[in-house]
Every structure is written in C-alpha cells, then in structure tokens.
C-alpha cells in the first residue's frame, strides 16, 4: 500500500502557516525550493507541494488523499469534498464590492452588472440563487482594479481587512462566504485507511486547539482558591498543589488565550504571585 499523501500549498499566503502547523504537529520534513514532494521522516506520510488552487482538484482526483487549502478554493472547485478540520489561519471573506460612486446596496442591485472575480463558480451560484442576472468576468488576479479599467462594474473578491478594496475606491456590499485554511479529504481515495487520516486530523486539531489557550501557573494563599477557580475554571477545574510553605498553594489552569489580558490583574488582585503564562503545544480535550 502506498504512503498516504497530503497536498499542501507550495507558495502564497497559506504556504508558511501550513508548514508551521505541520511542524508544530510534530512532523519532521525538509522542503527545498524546488521539491514537488517529500517523505515525512518520522511519520508514514508524503507531502505534495502544489498551488493552493490546484489542491481541491488533486484531492478530488485522488492524487492526494488529503490536502490543506482555503475553504474558498474548495467551494470554488465545487466537488463538496468533506472538511475534516478548520485550521484557524488564512481567515478571509469573499465579498461583493462596488465603486464608492455606484448605487448598489444589495445583491438585487447588481442586476445587469459585469462582475469580475477569481471565484466565478461561487459568484455565479450566489447571484443565480437570488435570481439576479450578472455577467461574470473571470480573472486570475488583480480583481480589485477591474472597475477602474472598466472591465467590470463590480467585483467579488477575497478580503481580510478590506484595505485593498478601500485603496481601489471600492466599498463592500455583502459577504458571500467566510473562509479559512482547512484540511479536506477524498473519502473514496482514503478507503479503509481512515484511521491513518484520523491521526492527521487529531494531531493538527490538537495544535489548533492549543494555540487558542494558555497554561497558567501561579502561587496563591490557600484561602483564595475558590475565588480563583471562578476566574480560571480550566478544562475541568484548576489543579491545586500545596506548597512547602504552609497556607500557600500552586494553582494551574488552562485559559482562553484571549482572556489572559483580563484575567491576570484579577488574579494578582486576589493575591496571586509568580504568575507564569505558557503556550500549549498541543491540546486534546
Ligand atoms: P495565494 O493566492 O496562494 O496567496 O492563496 C490565496 C488563499 O489564501 C485564498 O484562497 C484564501 O484561502 C487565503 N487568503 C487569506 N486571506 C486572504 C486575502 N486577504 N486575500 C486573498 N486570499 C486570502
């Protein structure tokens, strides 16, 4: 039986964060500039380095059983490949936008428009499902300049902050889909090897889960533990370990990374000391 293949982006926005995710999950591999594929040293897995927008096709064809790419690209491919895990990076939105001077506030106002996009299928489906007739102008890149060049009246383009739209005099009208990097697979190609795929899902999901949390350790007077437990309830409840010094304990807990900022002063105010905040490599709840 051949080694399972995971297709990953070889350039662009998703390349670096994907390589980091795989390494954080414990996979050891070397990627040279021109390598098309490498075998992972410590796990029976082959990585195929291809363009992010070719990955849905690679998975659909069974060239790779699994792949990491943008949700928007999977939707555009349109094969309904199952998403096994959301990976928490590459966040963006596919938005419909018009020049600031245009009079369009909703999808219906786009009737008769030429709409430039690098997501022609998703865009066509979106307007068709609302009964709005538009002419799709498929472009590979630089979608946002199409209205300026009078190639289109509107665009459907990926944005994260929206600043590129703004710089080009465009204003968003609505969001067609939200996207992030995902792990997708081809169930037919995977066949009876779902246990191997599940290992990949578990390892990657554990990294993603760990990134959203922090491990907190602190020393505190034993009599404030109940109050602290209300602030930092942890996964089940905080671990409390007695210190050699009577009346003192060490409290360990897992907190949402986003809550650390607010929680630290509260713990300090309760008498918490020697507070450590640590990153979590992987977390399986
Ligand atoms: P690439 O064109 O190879 O840089 O990769 C583009 C993919 O990165 C898209 O299909 C999205 O899934 C993702 N992405 C995340 N943020 C953005 C953004 N602001 N603009 C375009 N693509 C983005």
């Amino acid at each position: 039986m051949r080694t399972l293949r995971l297709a990953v982006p070889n350039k662009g926005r998703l390349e670096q964060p994907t390589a980091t995710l795989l390494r954080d999950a414990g996979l050891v591999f070397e990627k040279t500039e021109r390598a098309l594929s490498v075998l992972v040293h410590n796990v029976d897995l082959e990585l195929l380095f291809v363009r992010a927008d070719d990955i849905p096709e690679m998975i659909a064809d069974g060239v790779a059983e699994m792949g990491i790419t943008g949700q928007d690209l999977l939707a555009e491919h349109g094969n309904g490949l199952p998403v096994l895990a959301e990976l928490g990076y590459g966040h963006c939105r596919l938005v419909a936008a018009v020049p600031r001077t245009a009079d369009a506030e909703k999808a219906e106002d786009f009737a008769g428009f030429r709409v430039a996009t690098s997501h022609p299928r998703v865009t066509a489906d979106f307007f068709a499902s609302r009964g709005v007739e538009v002419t799709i102008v498929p472009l590979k890149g630089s979608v946002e300049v199409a209205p300026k060049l009078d190639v289109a009246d509107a665009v459907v383009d990926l944005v994260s902050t929206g600043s590129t739209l703004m710089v080009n005099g465009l204003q968003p009208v609505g969001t067609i889909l939200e996207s992030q990097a995902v792990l997708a697979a081809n169930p037919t190609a995977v066949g009876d090897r779902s246990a191997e795929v599940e290992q990949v899902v578990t390892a990657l999901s554990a990294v993603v889960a760990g990134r959203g949390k922090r491990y907190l350790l602190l020393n505190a007077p034993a009599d404030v533990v109940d109050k602290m437990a209300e602030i930092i309830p942890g996964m089940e409840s905080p671990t409390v370990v007695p210190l050699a010094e009577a009346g003192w304990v060490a409290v360990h807990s897992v907190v949402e990374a986003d809550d650390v900022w607010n929680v630290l002063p509260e713990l300090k105010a309760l008498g918490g000391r020697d507070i450590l905040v640590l990153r979590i490599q992987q977390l399986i709840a």
Side-chain angles (χ1 to χ4, degrees), residues 111-126:
F113 277 8
R114 296 162 299 161
V115 183
T117 183
S118 50
H119 293 70
R121 180 196 291 255
V122 173
T123 303
D125 287 353
F126 174 80

PDB file of all heavy atoms in Angstrom, residues 111-126:
ATOM      1  N   ALA A 111     -28.056  43.571 -10.727  1.00  0.00           N
ATOM      2  CA  ALA A 111     -28.660  43.070 -11.975  1.00  0.00           C
ATOM      3  C   ALA A 111     -28.075  43.809 -13.172  1.00  0.00           C
ATOM      4  O   ALA A 111     -28.038  45.047 -13.189  1.00  0.00           O
ATOM      5  CB  ALA A 111     -30.176  43.245 -11.916  1.00  0.00           C
ATOM      6  N   GLY A 112     -27.579  43.048 -14.146  1.00  0.00           N
ATOM      7  CA  GLY A 112     -27.003  43.628 -15.360  1.00  0.00           C
ATOM      8  C   GLY A 112     -25.532  43.996 -15.226  1.00  0.00           C
ATOM      9  O   GLY A 112     -24.892  44.381 -16.206  1.00  0.00           O
ATOM     10  N   PHE A 113     -24.969  43.865 -14.018  1.00  0.00           N
ATOM     11  CA  PHE A 113     -23.558  44.227 -13.799  1.00  0.00           C
ATOM     12  C   PHE A 113     -22.617  43.181 -14.408  1.00  0.00           C
ATOM     13  O   PHE A 113     -22.940  41.994 -14.480  1.00  0.00           O
ATOM     14  CB  PHE A 113     -23.247  44.291 -12.301  1.00  0.00           C
ATOM     15  CG  PHE A 113     -23.611  45.601 -11.644  1.00  0.00           C
ATOM     16  CD1 PHE A 113     -24.332  46.575 -12.331  1.00  0.00           C
ATOM     17  CD2 PHE A 113     -23.221  45.866 -10.335  1.00  0.00           C
ATOM     18  CE1 PHE A 113     -24.668  47.777 -11.716  1.00  0.00           C
ATOM     19  CE2 PHE A 113     -23.547  47.067  -9.715  1.00  0.00           C
ATOM     20  CZ  PHE A 113     -24.272  48.020 -10.398  1.00  0.00           C
ATOM     21  N   ARG A 114     -21.431  43.677 -14.804  1.00  0.00           N
ATOM     22  CA  ARG A 114     -20.309  42.771 -15.102  1.00  0.00           C
ATOM     23  C   ARG A 114     -19.535  42.627 -13.789  1.00  0.00           C
ATOM     24  O   ARG A 114     -19.125  43.642 -13.216  1.00  0.00           O
ATOM     25  CB  ARG A 114     -19.399  43.374 -16.165  1.00  0.00           C
ATOM     26  CG  ARG A 114     -20.056  43.577 -17.534  1.00  0.00           C
ATOM     27  CD  ARG A 114     -19.247  44.549 -18.367  1.00  0.00           C
ATOM     28  NE  ARG A 114     -19.171  45.851 -17.704  1.00  0.00           N
ATOM     29  CZ  ARG A 114     -18.255  46.787 -17.989  1.00  0.00           C
ATOM     30  NH1 ARG A 114     -17.330  46.572 -18.914  1.00  0.00           N
ATOM     31  NH2 ARG A 114     -18.237  47.939 -17.336  1.00  0.00           N
ATOM     32  N   VAL A 115     -19.379  41.387 -13.337  1.00  0.00           N
ATOM     33  CA  VAL A 115     -18.759  41.155 -12.025  1.00  0.00           C
ATOM     34  C   VAL A 115     -17.430  40.423 -12.209  1.00  0.00           C
ATOM     35  O   VAL A 115     -17.401  39.273 -12.655  1.00  0.00           O
ATOM     36  CB  VAL A 115     -19.686  40.326 -11.101  1.00  0.00           C
ATOM     37  CG1 VAL A 115     -19.060  40.160  -9.716  1.00  0.00           C
ATOM     38  CG2 VAL A 115     -21.063  40.981 -10.986  1.00  0.00           C
ATOM     39  N   ALA A 116     -16.337  41.104 -11.889  1.00  0.00           N
ATOM     40  CA  ALA A 116     -15.004  40.488 -12.006  1.00  0.00           C
ATOM     41  C   ALA A 116     -14.707  39.677 -10.756  1.00  0.00           C
ATOM     42  O   ALA A 116     -14.953  40.140  -9.636  1.00  0.00           O
ATOM     43  CB  ALA A 116     -13.948  41.568 -12.175  1.00  0.00           C
ATOM     44  N   THR A 117     -14.166  38.480 -10.952  1.00  0.00           N
ATOM     45  CA  THR A 117     -13.863  37.626  -9.798  1.00  0.00           C
ATOM     46  C   THR A 117     -12.906  36.509 -10.173  1.00  0.00           C
ATOM     47  O   THR A 117     -12.869  36.080 -11.334  1.00  0.00           O
ATOM     48  CB  THR A 117     -15.157  37.000  -9.218  1.00  0.00           C
ATOM     49  OG1 THR A 117     -14.821  36.231  -8.064  1.00  0.00           O
ATOM     50  CG2 THR A 117     -15.864  36.106 -10.229  1.00  0.00           C
ATOM     51  N   SER A 118     -12.145  36.051  -9.186  1.00  0.00           N
ATOM     52  CA  SER A 118     -11.358  34.832  -9.400  1.00  0.00           C
ATOM     53  C   SER A 118     -12.095  33.636  -8.808  1.00  0.00           C
ATOM     54  O   SER A 118     -11.529  32.549  -8.691  1.00  0.00           O
ATOM     55  CB  SER A 118      -9.952  34.988  -8.804  1.00  0.00           C
ATOM     56  OG  SER A 118     -10.040  35.442  -7.489  1.00  0.00           O
ATOM     57  N   HIS A 119     -13.361  33.861  -8.408  1.00  0.00           N
ATOM     58  CA  HIS A 119     -14.223  32.768  -7.912  1.00  0.00           C
ATOM     59  C   HIS A 119     -15.495  32.723  -8.749  1.00  0.00           C
ATOM     60  O   HIS A 119     -16.595  32.986  -8.233  1.00  0.00           O
ATOM     61  CB  HIS A 119     -14.553  32.978  -6.437  1.00  0.00           C
ATOM     62  CG  HIS A 119     -13.377  32.861  -5.518  1.00  0.00           C
ATOM     63  ND1 HIS A 119     -12.360  33.768  -5.470  1.00  0.00           N
ATOM     64  CD2 HIS A 119     -13.051  31.898  -4.614  1.00  0.00           C
ATOM     65  CE1 HIS A 119     -11.460  33.388  -4.581  1.00  0.00           C
ATOM     66  NE2 HIS A 119     -11.856  32.257  -4.048  1.00  0.00           N
ATOM     67  N   PRO A 120     -15.367  32.427 -10.066  1.00  0.00           N
ATOM     68  CA  PRO A 120     -16.542  32.514 -10.947  1.00  0.00           C
ATOM     69  C   PRO A 120     -17.686  31.570 -10.572  1.00  0.00           C
ATOM     70  O   PRO A 120     -18.847  31.956 -10.668  1.00  0.00           O
ATOM     71  CB  PRO A 120     -15.985  32.165 -12.335  1.00  0.00           C
ATOM     72  CG  PRO A 120     -14.633  31.588 -12.103  1.00  0.00           C
ATOM     73  CD  PRO A 120     -14.137  32.083 -10.792  1.00  0.00           C
ATOM     74  N   ARG A 121     -17.364  30.383 -10.105  1.00  0.00           N
ATOM     75  CA  ARG A 121     -18.436  29.430  -9.813  1.00  0.00           C
ATOM     76  C   ARG A 121     -19.261  29.875  -8.592  1.00  0.00           C
ATOM     77  O   ARG A 121     -20.490  29.907  -8.631  1.00  0.00           O
ATOM     78  CB  ARG A 121     -17.855  28.032  -9.550  1.00  0.00           C
ATOM     79  CG  ARG A 121     -18.946  27.002  -9.241  1.00  0.00           C
ATOM     80  CD  ARG A 121     -18.363  25.765  -8.604  1.00  0.00           C
ATOM     81  NE  ARG A 121     -17.560  25.006  -9.527  1.00  0.00           N
ATOM     82  CZ  ARG A 121     -17.944  23.860 -10.094  1.00  0.00           C
ATOM     83  NH1 ARG A 121     -19.118  23.366  -9.819  1.00  0.00           N
ATOM     84  NH2 ARG A 121     -17.145  23.217 -10.911  1.00  0.00           N
ATOM     85  N   VAL A 122     -18.541  30.212  -7.527  1.00  0.00           N
ATOM     86  CA  VAL A 122     -19.231  30.633  -6.301  1.00  0.00           C
ATOM     87  C   VAL A 122     -20.051  31.895  -6.579  1.00  0.00           C
ATOM     88  O   VAL A 122     -21.190  32.032  -6.129  1.00  0.00           O
ATOM     89  CB  VAL A 122     -18.205  30.897  -5.166  1.00  0.00           C
ATOM     90  CG1 VAL A 122     -18.880  31.489  -3.942  1.00  0.00           C
ATOM     91  CG2 VAL A 122     -17.473  29.607  -4.796  1.00  0.00           C
ATOM     92  N   THR A 123     -19.458  32.806  -7.359  1.00  0.00           N
ATOM     93  CA  THR A 123     -20.136  34.072  -7.661  1.00  0.00           C
ATOM     94  C   THR A 123     -21.391  33.822  -8.500  1.00  0.00           C
ATOM     95  O   THR A 123     -22.469  34.348  -8.204  1.00  0.00           O
ATOM     96  CB  THR A 123     -19.161  35.010  -8.410  1.00  0.00           C
ATOM     97  OG1 THR A 123     -18.010  35.180  -7.591  1.00  0.00           O
ATOM     98  CG2 THR A 123     -19.789  36.361  -8.694  1.00  0.00           C
ATOM     99  N   ALA A 124     -21.243  32.988  -9.541  1.00  0.00           N
ATOM    100  CA  ALA A 124     -22.397  32.683 -10.408  1.00  0.00           C
ATOM    101  C   ALA A 124     -23.504  32.020  -9.585  1.00  0.00           C
ATOM    102  O   ALA A 124     -24.682  32.392  -9.699  1.00  0.00           O
ATOM    103  CB  ALA A 124     -21.958  31.781 -11.558  1.00  0.00           C
ATOM    104  N   ASP A 125     -23.133  31.070  -8.720  1.00  0.00           N
ATOM    105  CA  ASP A 125     -24.132  30.380  -7.883  1.00  0.00           C
ATOM    106  C   ASP A 125     -24.845  31.369  -6.965  1.00  0.00           C
ATOM    107  O   ASP A 125     -26.054  31.294  -6.773  1.00  0.00           O
ATOM    108  CB  ASP A 125     -23.466  29.296  -7.017  1.00  0.00           C
ATOM    109  CG  ASP A 125     -23.060  28.090  -7.851  1.00  0.00           C
ATOM    110  OD1 ASP A 125     -23.422  28.054  -9.046  1.00  0.00           O
ATOM    111  OD2 ASP A 125     -22.359  27.209  -7.308  1.00  0.00           O
ATOM    112  N   PHE A 126     -24.051  32.282  -6.394  1.00  0.00           N
ATOM    113  CA  PHE A 126     -24.615  33.246  -5.441  1.00  0.00           C
ATOM    114  C   PHE A 126     -25.700  34.094  -6.111  1.00  0.00           C
ATOM    115  O   PHE A 126     -26.815  34.214  -5.598  1.00  0.00           O
ATOM    116  CB  PHE A 126     -23.503  34.141  -4.876  1.00  0.00           C
ATOM    117  CG  PHE A 126     -24.005  35.250  -4.010  1.00  0.00           C
ATOM    118  CD1 PHE A 126     -24.348  35.013  -2.685  1.00  0.00           C
ATOM    119  CD2 PHE A 126     -24.154  36.542  -4.514  1.00  0.00           C
ATOM    120  CE1 PHE A 126     -24.830  36.044  -1.876  1.00  0.00           C
ATOM    121  CE2 PHE A 126     -24.639  37.574  -3.717  1.00  0.00           C
ATOM    122  CZ  PHE A 126     -24.976  37.322  -2.402  1.00  0.00           C
TER     123      PHE A 126
END
